[in-house]
Amino acid sequence: MEKKKYTVPALEKGLAIIELLADSDQPLGITDLYTHCGIPKSSIFMILSTLESLKYIEKLPGDKYKLTMKIHHLGTRVLSKLNIRDIALPYMKNLSESLQFTVHLAALEHGRAIYIEKVNGPGYVQFSTKVGQSLPVYCSAVGKALAAFLPDNELDELARSISFEAYTPYTIGTPETFKEFLVSVRESGYAIEDEEGESGIRCIGAPIFDNEGRVTAAISVTALRSELPSNKFGEIGRIVCEHASLISKELGYVSE
């Protein structure tokens, strides 16, 4: 038997009005609201009076109404309590199970990518990476994904601070080459590390954005070269981007 659902009609109407005011580019009056939602004008008047007394809305000249910043402040308080590791972990597990790869979550700290969460792949080969490990941004997929979407001034400062050590013959060696590579990351939405940090290892990473549109973390898959052929980069990259996008949405990010 389906469980009976209980609702509060007055609350539903009040929230409907709040959503209409939030979606509108202009303040709305009682007639405007009635036209959009069909709630009786007498009910709209009482709801508006209640919301105004609680300081959720403001009455303007011409009997028009707009939301105050109180809703924004409530949302900010909710967002401040979000833990990106807790939010990302279910998506990381799903990504690992579906692709059979190891998945990392990283953040930018002091110019380096720091692993803050890891989900091991199910394969026989296990990577020795661990939470808390730091790695250069220029030869890691998560590092490139983090760097590519920084503001220009922050990216310039980061590139100047890097000592480009060669870990393999494929490691990026100059600030100019690094910044040039990041253009392709911004175009595709994902970053590739093709044996640049360690021979035989490939990674694909994508950025995660917060509610203010800033890159706050990156997620990546790691695999052996034989498990991740180059002709699969686009397909796997799109899947990683999809998971990064879902995490971003839970953090409050709204794409343009």
Side-chain angles (χ1 to χ4, degrees):
M1 179 183 295
E2 184 178 352
K3 186 177 180 180
K4 186 176 181 180
K5 296 180 179 179
Y6 296 94
T7 62
V8 180
L11 180 58
E12 289 180 337
K13 293 174 183 176
L15 292 173
I17 288 173
I18 287 175
E19 290 177 0
L20 283 171
L21 290 171
D23 290 338
S24 176
D25 294 331
Q26 303 293 331
L28 301 176
I30 291 177
T31 300
D32 301 320
L33 293 167
Y34 170 75
T35 301
H36 284 90
C37 65
I39 298 173
K41 290 184 177 181
S42 58
S43 297
I44 292 175
F45 175 78
M46 289 187 291
I47 291 169
L48 291 174
S49 296
T50 301
L51 291 173
E52 185 181 11
S53 68
L54 295 172
K55 302 189 184 304
Y56 283 100
I57 65 171
E58 177 184 355
K59 186 176 182 180
L60 303 174
D63 293 331
K64 300 285 186 177
Y65 296 85
K66 70 170 186 177
L67 291 177
T68 66
M69 292 296 290
K70 189 170 184 178
I71 293 287
H72 172 75
H73 294 325
L74 289 176
T76 301
R77 284 157 62 183
V78 171
L79 289 170
S80 69
K81 295 178 174 63
L82 295 179
N83 184 320
I84 190 169
R85 291 175 64 188
D86 292 339
I87 291 171
L89 190 56
Y91 296 102
M92 295 174 67
K93 290 179 177 178
N94 179 272
L95 189 58
S96 179
E97 290 171 3
S98 61
L99 296 180
Q100 303 287 288
F101 294 153
T102 293
V103 180
H104 293 101
L105 179 71
L108 189 64
E109 184 175 316
H110 303 305
R112 294 175 67 87
I114 310 293
Y115 287 141
I116 59 175
E117 189 57 89
K118 176 185 178 182
V119 174
N120 283 313
Y124 176 76
V125 176
Q126 296 294 307
F127 298 100
S128 60
T129 53
K130 60 183 182 292
V131 172
Q133 178 180 342
S134 72
L135 54 162
V137 294
Y138 64 94
C139 60
S140 61
V142 286
K144 293 174 184 176
L146 288 163
F149 295 90
L150 289 173
D152 290 342
N153 62 321
E154 293 183 25
L155 176 56
D156 289 340
E157 183 178 351
L158 175 62
R160 286 194 299 268
S161 71
I162 295 173
S163 297
F164 287 86
E165 179 182 350
Y167 292 92
T168 76
Y170 307 107
T171 305
I172 291 174
T174 67
E176 293 75 22
T177 306
F178 177 52
K179 292 172 69 175
E180 183 178 340
F181 184 91
L182 297 184
V183 173
S184 68
V185 177
R186 288 189 286 272
E187 290 174 349
S188 66
Y190 58 87
I192 296 168
E193 182 221 323
D194 191 359
E195 300 187 84
E196 297 160 52
E198 185 177 349
S199 295
I201 306 299
R202 285 173 165 168
C203 304
I204 298 180
I208 295 169
F209 300 95
D210 63 17
N211 63 302
E212 295 182 346
R214 288 182 59 88
V215 61
T216 188
I219 188 173
S220 73
V221 294
T222 299
L224 298 175
R225 174 191 170 97
S226 59
E227 297 173 330
L228 183 52
S230 58
N231 62 1
K232 290 285 187 179
F233 284 171
E235 176 187 345
I236 302 302
R238 286 188 290 273
I239 294 173
V240 176
C241 283
E242 289 170 2
H243 283 72
S245 178
L246 291 171
I247 299 169
S248 297
K249 286 180 181 179
E250 288 216 32
L251 291 173
Y253 175 66
V254 179
S255 59
E256 295 181 358

PDB file of all heavy atoms in Angstrom, residues 1-35:
ATOM      1  N   MET A   1       0.846  -1.200   0.000  1.00  0.00           N
ATOM      2  CA  MET A   1       0.000   0.000   0.000  1.00  0.00           C
ATOM      3  C   MET A   1       0.881   1.249   0.000  1.00  0.00           C
ATOM      4  O   MET A   1       1.841   1.325   0.758  1.00  0.00           O
ATOM      5  CB  MET A   1      -0.923   0.006   1.229  1.00  0.00           C
ATOM      6  CG  MET A   1      -1.836   1.242   1.311  1.00  0.00           C
ATOM      7  SD  MET A   1      -2.843   1.240   2.805  1.00  0.00           S
ATOM      8  CE  MET A   1      -3.848  -0.198   2.519  1.00  0.00           C
ATOM      9  N   GLU A   2       0.552   2.182  -0.886  1.00  0.00           N
ATOM     10  CA  GLU A   2       1.332   3.417  -0.965  1.00  0.00           C
ATOM     11  C   GLU A   2       1.090   4.268   0.263  1.00  0.00           C
ATOM     12  O   GLU A   2      -0.043   4.456   0.707  1.00  0.00           O
ATOM     13  CB  GLU A   2       0.930   4.199  -2.221  1.00  0.00           C
ATOM     14  CG  GLU A   2       1.767   5.446  -2.426  1.00  0.00           C
ATOM     15  CD  GLU A   2       1.384   6.188  -3.691  1.00  0.00           C
ATOM     16  OE1 GLU A   2       0.571   5.648  -4.469  1.00  0.00           O
ATOM     17  OE2 GLU A   2       1.897   7.294  -3.897  1.00  0.00           O
ATOM     18  N   LYS A   3       2.169   4.773   0.832  1.00  0.00           N
ATOM     19  CA  LYS A   3       2.074   5.602   2.019  1.00  0.00           C
ATOM     20  C   LYS A   3       1.388   6.919   1.701  1.00  0.00           C
ATOM     21  O   LYS A   3       1.716   7.575   0.722  1.00  0.00           O
ATOM     22  CB  LYS A   3       3.472   5.862   2.587  1.00  0.00           C
ATOM     23  CG  LYS A   3       3.461   6.595   3.917  1.00  0.00           C
ATOM     24  CD  LYS A   3       4.872   6.750   4.451  1.00  0.00           C
ATOM     25  CE  LYS A   3       4.863   7.485   5.785  1.00  0.00           C
ATOM     26  NZ  LYS A   3       6.244   7.638   6.314  1.00  0.00           N
ATOM     27  N   LYS A   4       0.415   7.301   2.533  1.00  0.00           N
ATOM     28  CA  LYS A   4      -0.334   8.530   2.302  1.00  0.00           C
ATOM     29  C   LYS A   4       0.564   9.734   2.511  1.00  0.00           C
ATOM     30  O   LYS A   4       1.331   9.801   3.464  1.00  0.00           O
ATOM     31  CB  LYS A   4      -1.531   8.594   3.256  1.00  0.00           C
ATOM     32  CG  LYS A   4      -2.447   9.778   2.994  1.00  0.00           C
ATOM     33  CD  LYS A   4      -3.666   9.739   3.891  1.00  0.00           C
ATOM     34  CE  LYS A   4      -4.591  10.922   3.617  1.00  0.00           C
ATOM     35  NZ  LYS A   4      -5.790  10.882   4.502  1.00  0.00           N
ATOM     36  N   LYS A   5       0.476  10.680   1.585  1.00  0.00           N
ATOM     37  CA  LYS A   5       1.278  11.888   1.675  1.00  0.00           C
ATOM     38  C   LYS A   5       0.448  13.024   2.252  1.00  0.00           C
ATOM     39  O   LYS A   5      -0.697  13.246   1.855  1.00  0.00           O
ATOM     40  CB  LYS A   5       1.805  12.282   0.289  1.00  0.00           C
ATOM     41  CG  LYS A   5       2.754  11.241  -0.312  1.00  0.00           C
ATOM     42  CD  LYS A   5       3.243  11.691  -1.686  1.00  0.00           C
ATOM     43  CE  LYS A   5       4.198  10.661  -2.278  1.00  0.00           C
ATOM     44  NZ  LYS A   5       4.670  11.062  -3.625  1.00  0.00           N
ATOM     45  N   TYR A   6       1.020  13.711   3.210  1.00  0.00           N
ATOM     46  CA  TYR A   6       0.335  14.833   3.844  1.00  0.00           C
ATOM     47  C   TYR A   6       0.961  16.138   3.357  1.00  0.00           C
ATOM     48  O   TYR A   6       2.182  16.262   3.278  1.00  0.00           O
ATOM     49  CB  TYR A   6       0.447  14.733   5.367  1.00  0.00           C
ATOM     50  CG  TYR A   6      -0.245  13.520   5.939  1.00  0.00           C
ATOM     51  CD1 TYR A   6       0.460  12.354   6.159  1.00  0.00           C
ATOM     52  CD2 TYR A   6      -1.607  13.541   6.232  1.00  0.00           C
ATOM     53  CE1 TYR A   6      -0.172  11.222   6.676  1.00  0.00           C
ATOM     54  CE2 TYR A   6      -2.240  12.427   6.747  1.00  0.00           C
ATOM     55  CZ  TYR A   6      -1.518  11.267   6.970  1.00  0.00           C
ATOM     56  OH  TYR A   6      -2.144  10.153   7.471  1.00  0.00           O
ATOM     57  N   THR A   7       0.132  17.084   3.019  1.00  0.00           N
ATOM     58  CA  THR A   7       0.613  18.387   2.567  1.00  0.00           C
ATOM     59  C   THR A   7      -0.117  19.498   3.311  1.00  0.00           C
ATOM     60  O   THR A   7      -1.195  19.288   3.891  1.00  0.00           O
ATOM     61  CB  THR A   7       0.383  18.576   1.059  1.00  0.00           C
ATOM     62  OG1 THR A   7      -1.038  18.523   0.792  1.00  0.00           O
ATOM     63  CG2 THR A   7       1.081  17.489   0.256  1.00  0.00           C
ATOM     64  N   VAL A   8       0.493  20.662   3.290  1.00  0.00           N
ATOM     65  CA  VAL A   8      -0.111  21.859   3.894  1.00  0.00           C
ATOM     66  C   VAL A   8      -0.386  22.837   2.749  1.00  0.00           C
ATOM     67  O   VAL A   8       0.544  23.479   2.252  1.00  0.00           O
ATOM     68  CB  VAL A   8       0.830  22.489   4.942  1.00  0.00           C
ATOM     69  CG1 VAL A   8       0.180  23.721   5.561  1.00  0.00           C
ATOM     70  CG2 VAL A   8       1.216  21.472   6.004  1.00  0.00           C
ATOM     71  N   PRO A   9      -1.617  22.949   2.297  1.00  0.00           N
ATOM     72  CA  PRO A   9      -1.940  23.786   1.132  1.00  0.00           C
ATOM     73  C   PRO A   9      -1.445  25.224   1.246  1.00  0.00           C
ATOM     74  O   PRO A   9      -0.935  25.782   0.273  1.00  0.00           O
ATOM     75  CB  PRO A   9      -3.469  23.715   1.065  1.00  0.00           C
ATOM     76  CG  PRO A   9      -3.802  22.384   1.685  1.00  0.00           C
ATOM     77  CD  PRO A   9      -2.808  22.226   2.798  1.00  0.00           C
ATOM     78  N   ALA A  10      -1.606  25.817   2.426  1.00  0.00           N
ATOM     79  CA  ALA A  10      -1.177  27.210   2.585  1.00  0.00           C
ATOM     80  C   ALA A  10       0.332  27.347   2.395  1.00  0.00           C
ATOM     81  O   ALA A  10       0.808  28.313   1.795  1.00  0.00           O
ATOM     82  CB  ALA A  10      -1.586  27.731   3.967  1.00  0.00           C
ATOM     83  N   LEU A  11       1.072  26.358   2.885  1.00  0.00           N
ATOM     84  CA  LEU A  11       2.528  26.377   2.726  1.00  0.00           C
ATOM     85  C   LEU A  11       2.896  26.208   1.253  1.00  0.00           C
ATOM     86  O   LEU A  11       3.802  26.886   0.745  1.00  0.00           O
ATOM     87  CB  LEU A  11       3.164  25.287   3.566  1.00  0.00           C
ATOM     88  CG  LEU A  11       4.685  25.173   3.517  1.00  0.00           C
ATOM     89  CD1 LEU A  11       5.351  26.476   3.949  1.00  0.00           C
ATOM     90  CD2 LEU A  11       5.166  24.020   4.393  1.00  0.00           C
ATOM     91  N   GLU A  12       2.217  25.309   0.567  1.00  0.00           N
ATOM     92  CA  GLU A  12       2.467  25.103  -0.858  1.00  0.00           C
ATOM     93  C   GLU A  12       2.243  26.395  -1.638  1.00  0.00           C
ATOM     94  O   GLU A  12       3.029  26.744  -2.525  1.00  0.00           O
ATOM     95  CB  GLU A  12       1.563  24.006  -1.401  1.00  0.00           C
ATOM     96  CG  GLU A  12       1.931  22.607  -0.915  1.00  0.00           C
ATOM     97  CD  GLU A  12       1.004  21.542  -1.486  1.00  0.00           C
ATOM     98  OE1 GLU A  12      -0.137  21.896  -1.864  1.00  0.00           O
ATOM     99  OE2 GLU A  12       1.414  20.378  -1.572  1.00  0.00           O
ATOM    100  N   LYS A  13       1.169  27.115  -1.309  1.00  0.00           N
ATOM    101  CA  LYS A  13       0.874  28.373  -2.000  1.00  0.00           C
ATOM    102  C   LYS A  13       1.937  29.424  -1.698  1.00  0.00           C
ATOM    103  O   LYS A  13       2.368  30.166  -2.596  1.00  0.00           O
ATOM    104  CB  LYS A  13      -0.512  28.883  -1.584  1.00  0.00           C
ATOM    105  CG  LYS A  13      -1.659  27.997  -2.048  1.00  0.00           C
ATOM    106  CD  LYS A  13      -2.989  28.472  -1.485  1.00  0.00           C
ATOM    107  CE  LYS A  13      -4.133  27.538  -1.899  1.00  0.00           C
ATOM    108  NZ  LYS A  13      -5.424  27.930  -1.290  1.00  0.00           N
ATOM    109  N   GLY A  14       2.358  29.479  -0.443  1.00  0.00           N
ATOM    110  CA  GLY A  14       3.379  30.450  -0.072  1.00  0.00           C
ATOM    111  C   GLY A  14       4.691  30.202  -0.790  1.00  0.00           C
ATOM    112  O   GLY A  14       5.334  31.133  -1.292  1.00  0.00           O
ATOM    113  N   LEU A  15       5.091  28.928  -0.887  1.00  0.00           N
ATOM    114  CA  LEU A  15       6.330  28.593  -1.581  1.00  0.00           C
ATOM    115  C   LEU A  15       6.212  28.848  -3.080  1.00  0.00           C
ATOM    116  O   LEU A  15       7.178  29.255  -3.730  1.00  0.00           O
ATOM    117  CB  LEU A  15       6.699  27.134  -1.310  1.00  0.00           C
ATOM    118  CG  LEU A  15       7.112  26.829   0.135  1.00  0.00           C
ATOM    119  CD1 LEU A  15       7.295  25.329   0.332  1.00  0.00           C
ATOM    120  CD2 LEU A  15       8.389  27.571   0.506  1.00  0.00           C
ATOM    121  N   ALA A  16       5.013  28.622  -3.630  1.00  0.00           N
ATOM    122  CA  ALA A  16       4.794  28.898  -5.050  1.00  0.00           C
ATOM    123  C   ALA A  16       4.988  30.381  -5.343  1.00  0.00           C
ATOM    124  O   ALA A  16       5.575  30.767  -6.360  1.00  0.00           O
ATOM    125  CB  ALA A  16       3.394  28.448  -5.467  1.00  0.00           C
ATOM    126  N   ILE A  17       4.516  31.217  -4.444  1.00  0.00           N
ATOM    127  CA  ILE A  17       4.666  32.664  -4.610  1.00  0.00           C
ATOM    128  C   ILE A  17       6.131  33.069  -4.488  1.00  0.00           C
ATOM    129  O   ILE A  17       6.637  33.902  -5.262  1.00  0.00           O
ATOM    130  CB  ILE A  17       3.789  33.414  -3.578  1.00  0.00           C
ATOM    131  CG1 ILE A  17       2.310  33.266  -3.964  1.00  0.00           C
ATOM    132  CG2 ILE A  17       4.181  34.888  -3.482  1.00  0.00           C
ATOM    133  CD1 ILE A  17       1.348  33.821  -2.941  1.00  0.00           C
ATOM    134  N   ILE A  18       6.847  32.494  -3.527  1.00  0.00           N
ATOM    135  CA  ILE A  18       8.272  32.783  -3.372  1.00  0.00           C
ATOM    136  C   ILE A  18       9.027  32.411  -4.644  1.00  0.00           C
ATOM    137  O   ILE A  18       9.889  33.169  -5.129  1.00  0.00           O
ATOM    138  CB  ILE A  18       8.847  32.028  -2.158  1.00  0.00           C
ATOM    139  CG1 ILE A  18       8.364  32.680  -0.864  1.00  0.00           C
ATOM    140  CG2 ILE A  18      10.381  32.006  -2.198  1.00  0.00           C
ATOM    141  CD1 ILE A  18       8.776  31.947   0.397  1.00  0.00           C
ATOM    142  N   GLU A  19       8.710  31.253  -5.226  1.00  0.00           N
ATOM    143  CA  GLU A  19       9.392  30.809  -6.441  1.00  0.00           C
ATOM    144  C   GLU A  19       9.079  31.733  -7.614  1.00  0.00           C
ATOM    145  O   GLU A  19       9.956  32.017  -8.441  1.00  0.00           O
ATOM    146  CB  GLU A  19       8.994  29.373  -6.761  1.00  0.00           C
ATOM    147  CG  GLU A  19       9.575  28.362  -5.775  1.00  0.00           C
ATOM    148  CD  GLU A  19       9.116  26.944  -6.057  1.00  0.00           C
ATOM    149  OE1 GLU A  19       8.347  26.745  -7.024  1.00  0.00           O
ATOM    150  OE2 GLU A  19       9.533  26.032  -5.313  1.00  0.00           O
ATOM    151  N   LEU A  20       7.838  32.213  -7.708  1.00  0.00           N
ATOM    152  CA  LEU A  20       7.477  33.140  -8.780  1.00  0.00           C
ATOM    153  C   LEU A  20       8.248  34.449  -8.649  1.00  0.00           C
ATOM    154  O   LEU A  20       8.752  34.990  -9.640  1.00  0.00           O
ATOM    155  CB  LEU A  20       5.972  33.416  -8.756  1.00  0.00           C
ATOM    156  CG  LEU A  20       5.068  32.323  -9.325  1.00  0.00           C
ATOM    157  CD1 LEU A  20       3.599  32.633  -9.036  1.00  0.00           C
ATOM    158  CD2 LEU A  20       5.289  32.195 -10.835  1.00  0.00           C
ATOM    159  N   LEU A  21       8.355  34.950  -7.423  1.00  0.00           N
ATOM    160  CA  LEU A  21       9.107  36.188  -7.197  1.00  0.00           C
ATOM    161  C   LEU A  21      10.585  35.986  -7.502  1.00  0.00           C
ATOM    162  O   LEU A  21      11.248  36.881  -8.034  1.00  0.00           O
ATOM    163  CB  LEU A  21       8.920  36.657  -5.749  1.00  0.00           C
ATOM    164  CG  LEU A  21       7.524  37.183  -5.382  1.00  0.00           C
ATOM    165  CD1 LEU A  21       7.423  37.401  -3.875  1.00  0.00           C
ATOM    166  CD2 LEU A  21       7.205  38.478  -6.126  1.00  0.00           C
ATOM    167  N   ALA A  22      11.105  34.795  -7.182  1.00  0.00           N
ATOM    168  CA  ALA A  22      12.518  34.511  -7.444  1.00  0.00           C
ATOM    169  C   ALA A  22      12.805  34.414  -8.935  1.00  0.00           C
ATOM    170  O   ALA A  22      13.875  34.816  -9.407  1.00  0.00           O
ATOM    171  CB  ALA A  22      12.922  33.215  -6.750  1.00  0.00           C
ATOM    172  N   ASP A  23      11.853  33.885  -9.699  1.00  0.00           N
ATOM    173  CA  ASP A  23      12.055  33.689 -11.136  1.00  0.00           C
ATOM    174  C   ASP A  23      11.833  34.961 -11.948  1.00  0.00           C
ATOM    175  O   ASP A  23      12.289  35.064 -13.088  1.00  0.00           O
ATOM    176  CB  ASP A  23      11.111  32.602 -11.662  1.00  0.00           C
ATOM    177  CG  ASP A  23      11.502  31.216 -11.167  1.00  0.00           C
ATOM    178  OD1 ASP A  23      12.666  31.032 -10.803  1.00  0.00           O
ATOM    179  OD2 ASP A  23      10.619  30.329 -11.140  1.00  0.00           O
ATOM    180  N   SER A  24      11.131  35.924 -11.376  1.00  0.00           N
ATOM    181  CA  SER A  24      10.781  37.135 -12.117  1.00  0.00           C
ATOM    182  C   SER A  24      11.912  38.158 -12.106  1.00  0.00           C
ATOM    183  O   SER A  24      12.576  38.362 -11.087  1.00  0.00           O
ATOM    184  CB  SER A  24       9.514  37.763 -11.515  1.00  0.00           C
ATOM    185  OG  SER A  24       9.219  38.985 -12.157  1.00  0.00           O
ATOM    186  N   ASP A  25      12.120  38.797 -13.239  1.00  0.00           N
ATOM    187  CA  ASP A  25      13.129  39.860 -13.326  1.00  0.00           C
ATOM    188  C   ASP A  25      12.619  41.175 -12.756  1.00  0.00           C
ATOM    189  O   ASP A  25      13.406  42.103 -12.526  1.00  0.00           O
ATOM    190  CB  ASP A  25      13.536  40.081 -14.791  1.00  0.00           C
ATOM    191  CG  ASP A  25      14.258  38.879 -15.375  1.00  0.00           C
ATOM    192  OD1 ASP A  25      14.919  38.153 -14.608  1.00  0.00           O
ATOM    193  OD2 ASP A  25      14.151  38.660 -16.601  1.00  0.00           O
ATOM    194  N   GLN A  26      11.308  41.266 -12.573  1.00  0.00           N
ATOM    195  CA  GLN A  26      10.682  42.492 -12.080  1.00  0.00           C
ATOM    196  C   GLN A  26       9.835  42.201 -10.845  1.00  0.00           C
ATOM    197  O   GLN A  26       9.368  41.066 -10.667  1.00  0.00           O
ATOM    198  CB  GLN A  26       9.792  43.115 -13.170  1.00  0.00           C
ATOM    199  CG  GLN A  26      10.505  43.435 -14.471  1.00  0.00           C
ATOM    200  CD  GLN A  26      11.524  44.545 -14.300  1.00  0.00           C
ATOM    201  OE1 GLN A  26      11.370  45.421 -13.453  1.00  0.00           O
ATOM    202  NE2 GLN A  26      12.576  44.506 -15.118  1.00  0.00           N
ATOM    203  N   PRO A  27       9.627  43.189  -9.964  1.00  0.00           N
ATOM    204  CA  PRO A  27       8.696  42.997  -8.847  1.00  0.00           C
ATOM    205  C   PRO A  27       7.302  42.667  -9.372  1.00  0.00           C
ATOM    206  O   PRO A  27       6.921  43.093 -10.469  1.00  0.00           O
ATOM    207  CB  PRO A  27       8.723  44.358  -8.145  1.00  0.00           C
ATOM    208  CG  PRO A  27      10.032  44.973  -8.537  1.00  0.00           C
ATOM    209  CD  PRO A  27      10.276  44.509  -9.939  1.00  0.00           C
ATOM    210  N   LEU A  28       6.543  41.919  -8.605  1.00  0.00           N
ATOM    211  CA  LEU A  28       5.216  41.488  -9.027  1.00  0.00           C
ATOM    212  C   LEU A  28       4.151  41.970  -8.048  1.00  0.00           C
ATOM    213  O   LEU A  28       4.385  42.070  -6.842  1.00  0.00           O
ATOM    214  CB  LEU A  28       5.147  39.962  -9.126  1.00  0.00           C
ATOM    215  CG  LEU A  28       6.121  39.280 -10.092  1.00  0.00           C
ATOM    216  CD1 LEU A  28       5.989  37.762  -9.984  1.00  0.00           C
ATOM    217  CD2 LEU A  28       5.868  39.749 -11.522  1.00  0.00           C
ATOM    218  N   GLY A  29       2.960  42.252  -8.579  1.00  0.00           N
ATOM    219  CA  GLY A  29       1.830  42.631  -7.754  1.00  0.00           C
ATOM    220  C   GLY A  29       0.874  41.464  -7.585  1.00  0.00           C
ATOM    221  O   GLY A  29       1.081  40.377  -8.135  1.00  0.00           O
ATOM    222  N   ILE A  30      -0.191  41.691  -6.839  1.00  0.00           N
ATOM    223  CA  ILE A  30      -1.156  40.623  -6.575  1.00  0.00           C
ATOM    224  C   ILE A  30      -1.765  40.097  -7.865  1.00  0.00           C
ATOM    225  O   ILE A  30      -1.899  38.878  -8.069  1.00  0.00           O
ATOM    226  CB  ILE A  30      -2.262  41.127  -5.613  1.00  0.00           C
ATOM    227  CG1 ILE A  30      -1.658  41.356  -4.216  1.00  0.00           C
ATOM    228  CG2 ILE A  30      -3.412  40.126  -5.538  1.00  0.00           C
ATOM    229  CD1 ILE A  30      -2.632  41.925  -3.202  1.00  0.00           C
ATOM    230  N   THR A  31      -2.122  40.992  -8.784  1.00  0.00           N
ATOM    231  CA  THR A  31      -2.713  40.560 -10.058  1.00  0.00           C
ATOM    232  C   THR A  31      -1.717  39.747 -10.874  1.00  0.00           C
ATOM    233  O   THR A  31      -2.081  38.742 -11.497  1.00  0.00           O
ATOM    234  CB  THR A  31      -3.188  41.775 -10.867  1.00  0.00           C
ATOM    235  OG1 THR A  31      -4.173  42.486 -10.106  1.00  0.00           O
ATOM    236  CG2 THR A  31      -3.812  41.329 -12.184  1.00  0.00           C
ATOM    237  N   ASP A  32      -0.461  40.173 -10.870  1.00  0.00           N
ATOM    238  CA  ASP A  32       0.580  39.424 -11.585  1.00  0.00           C
ATOM    239  C   ASP A  32       0.684  38.000 -11.051  1.00  0.00           C
ATOM    240  O   ASP A  32       0.753  37.026 -11.814  1.00  0.00           O
ATOM    241  CB  ASP A  32       1.942  40.112 -11.436  1.00  0.00           C
ATOM    242  CG  ASP A  32       1.944  41.532 -11.965  1.00  0.00           C
ATOM    243  OD1 ASP A  32       1.333  41.764 -13.018  1.00  0.00           O
ATOM    244  OD2 ASP A  32       2.555  42.395 -11.316  1.00  0.00           O
ATOM    245  N   LEU A  33       0.700  37.889  -9.736  1.00  0.00           N
ATOM    246  CA  LEU A  33       0.830  36.572  -9.114  1.00  0.00           C
ATOM    247  C   LEU A  33      -0.393  35.711  -9.398  1.00  0.00           C
ATOM    248  O   LEU A  33      -0.273  34.512  -9.664  1.00  0.00           O
ATOM    249  CB  LEU A  33       1.037  36.730  -7.603  1.00  0.00           C
ATOM    250  CG  LEU A  33       2.377  37.374  -7.199  1.00  0.00           C
ATOM    251  CD1 LEU A  33       2.361  37.785  -5.742  1.00  0.00           C
ATOM    252  CD2 LEU A  33       3.525  36.407  -7.454  1.00  0.00           C
ATOM    253  N   TYR A  34      -1.569  36.326  -9.351  1.00  0.00           N
ATOM    254  CA  TYR A  34      -2.801  35.584  -9.644  1.00  0.00           C
ATOM    255  C   TYR A  34      -2.778  35.055 -11.079  1.00  0.00           C
ATOM    256  O   TYR A  34      -3.152  33.907 -11.343  1.00  0.00           O
ATOM    257  CB  TYR A  34      -4.014  36.495  -9.444  1.00  0.00           C
ATOM    258  CG  TYR A  34      -5.305  35.899  -9.942  1.00  0.00           C
ATOM    259  CD1 TYR A  34      -5.948  34.898  -9.224  1.00  0.00           C
ATOM    260  CD2 TYR A  34      -5.871  36.325 -11.141  1.00  0.00           C
ATOM    261  CE1 TYR A  34      -7.138  34.337  -9.689  1.00  0.00           C
ATOM    262  CE2 TYR A  34      -7.054  35.773 -11.618  1.00  0.00           C
ATOM    263  CZ  TYR A  34      -7.669  34.780 -10.887  1.00  0.00           C
ATOM    264  OH  TYR A  34      -8.842  34.215 -11.361  1.00  0.00           O
ATOM    265  N   THR A  35      -2.296  35.868 -12.006  1.00  0.00           N
ATOM    266  CA  THR A  35      -2.228  35.463 -13.412  1.00  0.00           C
ATOM    267  C   THR A  35      -1.310  34.261 -13.605  1.00  0.00           C
ATOM    268  O   THR A  35      -1.596  33.364 -14.395  1.00  0.00           O
ATOM    269  CB  THR A  35      -1.730  36.634 -14.282  1.00  0.00           C
ATOM    270  OG1 THR A  35      -2.621  37.737 -14.133  1.00  0.00           O
ATOM    271  CG2 THR A  35      -1.648  36.233 -15.744  1.00  0.00           C
TER     272      THR A  35
END
